[in-house]
Amino acid sequence: MSWTIPEDVTDAWIGDDAPGDDTKVQLWIDKAERELRRRVPDLQARIDAEAELVPPSEELLETAKDVVVAMVTRIFRNPTGTRQKNATVTTGPFSETTSETVGGNSPGVLEPTSDELSKLSGLSESGAFTVDLLPSTSPFSGVTYDPLWWVTN
């Protein structure tokens, strides 16, 4: 089951050079969705669970579509995986040099960015977490303390 359709990619496209071959766009959408399912194994189950809520929610589904559109757009914008392009145009005594650098670790590769993966994985965006090292049988397990209790008492 595909979450994204070719119109999602072309409707989000910025500029006049949107891809016109829906079959090829769908091919890359399918590849992107397979990659997301491989990297976030519980994604489909969480999307299905979200759809069964009352009222139903599509937040995760729409986020997944956004990530697929971004992945496919990166492929179509840079199909050769070029990292940097330089061009010099000379007219008489004048010349103009332009340079374009594509960001990302692997330009032209179908992979989600770390930010996109964090949006789909359900992890906190802050990246911080705590681990309770006390056994669950301890009376102090799960208890939080104010480190400045002696100042206020």
Side-chain angles (χ1 to χ4, degrees), residues 28 71-86 100-111:
W28 283 100
M71 291 170 65
V72 171
T73 299
R74 285 194 293 270
I75 288 292
F76 277 89
R77 290 235 185 256
N78 189 7
T80 60
T82 304
R83 169 76 66 190
Q84 184 174 19
K85 295 180 200 175
N86 296 314
E100 178 183 355
T101 303
V102 177
N105 294 333
S106 304
V109 175
L110 188 69
E111 67 179 17

Side-chain angles (χ1 to χ4, degrees), residues 92-146:
F94 303 104
S95 66
E96 178 184 8
T97 302
T98 59
S99 177
E100 178 183 355
T101 303
V102 177
N105 294 333
S106 304
V109 175
L110 188 69
E111 67 179 17
T113 64
S114 59
D115 182 52
E116 291 166 345
L117 275 178
S118 71
K119 290 176 184 176
L120 296 176
S121 66
L123 298 176
S124 168
E125 289 189 24
S126 68
F129 60 91
T130 59
V131 176
D132 189 358
L133 298 176
L134 295 173
S136 61
T137 56
S138 169
F140 300 107
S141 179
V143 176
T144 58
Y145 298 96
D146 180 6

Side-chain angles (χ1 to χ4, degrees), residues 3-4 16 21 24 35 46 52 62 72 88 103-104 112 114 118 140-141 148 151:
W3 310 313
T4 315
D16 296 329
D21 186 354
K24 188 164 284 203
E35 181 66 17
R46 289 176 32 236
E52 294 174 4
E62 293 302 316
V72 171
T88 302
S114 59
S118 71
F140 300 107
S141 179
L148 300 175
V151 175

